[in-house]
Amino acid sequence: GDLDKVVNLLLSLSGRLARVENALNSLGPRTSAEDKVALREKKRQLAAQLEDAKELKEHVGRREKAVGAMVARYLRDEHLQDYQHFVKMKSALITEQRELEEKIKLGQEQLRCLQESL
């Protein structure tokens, strides 16, 4: 459960950071200095939060290894391999799901911007 939460946090923060970076890159010359400063500050905060989340993921990874070692004492090899595969696939599938959700959001934002520009 912790792994799910940390992976979702990492993906959420990285998606938000990417959107802020895109917003910064698309600023026009008429953008106010206040808006630019606000976006830069938001980018700084999100980058710091992302670093904190990466440290949290490392902590969860260490704990996962400790739990895996404990589980290994009680499971036969075939069940242990199934457990390890499950843990890897769960994380990978959560990551893939969030990436797809972020791509859908980005596509919807781009479509909305294109419609507004027309």
Side-chain angles (χ1 to χ4, degrees), residues 42-90:
K42 189 169 189 170
K43 179 182 174 182
R44 187 194 63 73
Q45 288 176 344
L46 286 169
Q49 289 174 345
L50 186 59
E51 287 305 312
D52 290 344
K54 287 178 182 179
E55 289 177 18
L56 187 59
K57 185 176 186 301
E58 289 174 10
H59 173 72
V60 169
R62 288 189 300 272
R63 202 172 78 208
E64 179 185 331
K65 286 181 184 179
V67 169
M70 229 182 341
V71 168
R73 287 186 277 181
Y74 297 100
L75 295 179
R76 294 188 311 242
D77 283 343
E78 64 188 46
H79 291 134
L80 180 61
Q81 289 175 356
D82 288 343
Y83 167 78
Q84 290 168 338
H85 178 72
F86 171 78
V87 171
K88 284 182 186 176
M89 289 307 297
K90 186 172 183 180

Side-chain angles (χ1 to χ4, degrees), residues 93-106:
L93 290 173
I94 290 169
T95 302
E96 186 175 341
Q97 177 185 5
R98 286 299 299 241
E99 287 175 351
L100 290 172
E101 289 170 356
E102 288 297 322
K103 286 180 182 179
I104 289 169
K105 282 182 187 176
L106 181 60

Side-chain angles (χ1 to χ4, degrees), residues 27-41:
L27 291 178
R30 296 182 182 170
T31 306
S32 72
E34 292 172 350
D35 290 343
K36 290 178 184 178
V37 169
L39 280 173
R40 287 185 187 122
E41 178 60 20

